[in-house]
Amino acid sequence: MARKKLKAPKAARQASKPERIDAALSTALMANRENRAIRVLGLAGEAADQPPLIGLSMVTIGAGALLRQPRLLRAGLRMLASELVATGIKAAVKRHVNRTRPHKMRKDGRYSLHADSKGSKNEGPWNSFPSGHTAGAVAVSRAAAREYPQGLPAAHLASGLVAAIQLPLGKHFASDVVAGAVIGWASEALVNAAARALSVRFERSRETE
């Protein structure tokens, strides 16, 4: 017997073209949501949530200090700063953009995307945009790679997997993930620019002593 083709709810099919593409892609990918491999990858992806990433950053800072490895210490500081900036930007956007999460859309047959100038509906099922996990994963992985550039391919792979798994799990739409990646990239770039400015200022102060 052929499997019945799943469709996005009517509200999503009548939205803008990018939203229709988002909804159709998510609906198709969520057909595999209960797959064991998807569930396992989803659990692994939770390592990119805010508390684990902050914890990893703190452990890296501690290890660098205890082992007297400045490079490792700098990596940890970069990771922590990048994660905090990404979290702040992500949270600010979520407060003012209400979007139904894909799994909620599939379960209830409802879909909505609209701005909330008052930031009144800060609830998980309605805060799909942007992807915080993706933002954090990209920010932290790029921060670590600043000090250990040889690890950049692995960093890209890890953050890419975190981003990709959000779709079949129904946690985020594709555009949520893209927005999260942009936030993560921009956050780390801001931290790197600040670190370079501080380094230049420090070197100049040493020269004038």
Side-chain angles (χ1 to χ4, degrees):
M1 184 177 177
R3 179 186 295 181
K4 183 179 178 181
K5 186 177 180 180
L6 298 175
K7 289 184 178 182
K10 185 177 181 180
R13 298 198 307 272
Q14 293 178 341
S16 67
K17 186 174 181 179
E19 290 174 84
R20 294 198 301 271
I21 294 173
D22 260 352
L25 179 60
S26 289
T27 300
L29 291 175
M30 280 190 291
N32 301 309
R33 191 182 183 200
E34 300 304 322
N35 181 281
R36 181 174 296 178
I38 295 296
R39 304 302 292 181
V40 170
L41 287 173
L43 289 174
E46 287 304 305
D49 199 3
Q50 182 181 350
L53 287 179
I54 290 178
L56 175 62
S57 302
M58 295 299 293
V59 168
T60 304
I61 292 170
L66 288 173
L67 298 174
R68 297 182 180 180
Q69 295 188 14
R71 190 181 182 190
L72 187 61
L73 175 60
R74 290 195 305 269
L77 291 171
R78 284 177 175 274
M79 291 161 62
L80 180 60
S82 298
E83 165 61 12
L84 292 177
V85 172
T87 296
I89 296 174
K90 174 265 299 184
V93 176
K94 280 184 179 291
R95 277 197 298 271
H96 297 288
V97 179
N98 291 338
R99 190 181 199 185
T100 315
R101 288 191 187 268
H103 67 81
K104 182 74 172 176
M105 177 187 75
R106 180 185 182 187
K107 180 181 178 181
D108 297 347
R110 300 167 61 191
Y111 174 79
S112 176
L113 170 61
H114 63 274
D116 182 359
S117 59
K118 297 180 180 179
S120 58
K121 199 166 187 177
N122 189 17
E123 302 172 11
W126 308 100
N127 285 148
S128 187
F129 185 88
S131 169
H133 282 63
T134 304
V138 171
V140 171
S141 62
R142 285 183 61 82
R146 289 286 183 183
E147 296 294 336
Y148 298 94
Q150 69 273 18
L152 189 59
H156 282 164
L157 176 61
S159 58
L161 286 174
V162 169
I165 200 62
Q166 305 303 314
L167 302 180
L169 288 176
K171 291 186 175 182
H172 291 285
F173 293 98
S175 59
D176 302 336
V177 170
V178 172
V182 170
I183 289 173
W185 183 91
S187 298
E188 191 279 330
L190 287 171
V191 169
N192 182 57
R196 291 181 65 181
L198 286 173
S199 178
V200 169
R201 187 173 181 179
F202 177 72
E203 289 299 324
R204 286 178 178 174
S205 66
R206 289 185 60 184
E207 291 173 0
T208 58
E209 287 180 356

